[in-house]
Amino acid sequence: MKEKLDLTNIPKHLAIIMDGNGRWAKKKGAMRIFGHRHAIQAVKDAIEGADNLGIKYLTLFSFSTENWSRPQDEVRALMELLVKTIIDEISLMMKNNIRLISIGDVSSLPGSAHEKLLEAQRQTETNTGLTVILALSYSGKWELTQAAKRIAQKVSEGKLKPEEITQQTIADHLETAGIPDPELMIRTSGEYRISNFLLWQSAYTELYFTPILWPDFRIEHLYAAIEDYQKRERRFGKTGEQVKS
Ligand code: IPE
Ligand code: IPE
Ligand code: MG
């Protein structure tokens, strides 16, 4: 599968909406959390696949702002799973030179999850390989609102004039400042929506939807998505003739 790919045309940044854990569990007659537990192998496959291909940034939509309104037991179990996974995987991340960062309102996570996350970020911060970006308590609208507040603050302090605000100013005040926009976004579970993920950054992102439920997602599914991406012509508003020349 990997052999079919053009290694000179790999996205720098891949974003994934990891969806379908609950339905996967339901199909097995199990509780939703059973699906979340089985999602970990899929996360590991996605990281390994991204690393193998030389992708620089992998953003994983792990918990949205809106997910706080799920049943309390599920939220609690997801947070515990986050802590456990970080503890279990830290040595492998160090071995593979992987840097872990996060985007989102992470200070709203329970204390233990927040602490573990920051600790893992500190531990991996000088790693120079793949950067894994966990989107936690994240949503695009939340992020844009935060950016608007930060920019307004600078204007009110006289550090910035309204007429000086450009698209770059906004990009620089997002959680993803300094990170290139994703070229490709994958969503599993057969849903065709963005669900408030990377709204600004996905303006020209190629979208790939697969019916696979996230716990079943494996490295070959990631390679298949990249293969599909490589067949596309990214025009950015220009004509096909213009981008070919
Ligand atoms: C994705 O799976 C995981 C999170 C959103 C945390 P879901 O839990 O949304 O699974 P479905 O969509 O109900 O099947
Ligand atoms: C999107 O999945 C959020 C994550 C994958 C973390 P949801 O399951 O929350 O999205 P909707 O509610 O189906 O749009
Ligand atoms: Mg879902």
Side-chain angles (χ1 to χ4, degrees), residues 119-161:
E119 195 182 310
Q121 291 186 190
R122 268 195 301 274
Q123 246 181 294
T124 61
E125 74 189 346
T126 56
N127 290 350
T128 54
L130 171 68
T131 296
V132 173
I133 304 162
L134 293 183
L136 284 164
S137 190
Y138 172 87
S139 71
K141 288 190 178 183
W142 170 83
E143 178 185 44
L144 284 160
T145 307
Q146 287 298 110
K149 283 184 192 163
R150 289 182 200 152
I151 293 168
Q153 184 67 33
K154 286 189 185 169
V155 170
S156 76
E157 288 169 359
K159 292 179 181 155
L160 186 68
K161 295 195 183 77

Side-chain angles (χ1 to χ4, degrees), residues 18-24 32 36 61-64 67 70 74 78 189 191 213-214:
M18 311 184 289
D19 197 15
N21 300 349
R23 279 163 282 167
W24 186 90
R32 295 178 56 82
H36 298 315
F61 203 5
S62 309
F63 193 83
S64 74
N67 289 150
R70 291 197 177 190
E74 183 173 347
L78 277 166
S189 88
E191 305 292 355
L213 300 173
W214 180 250

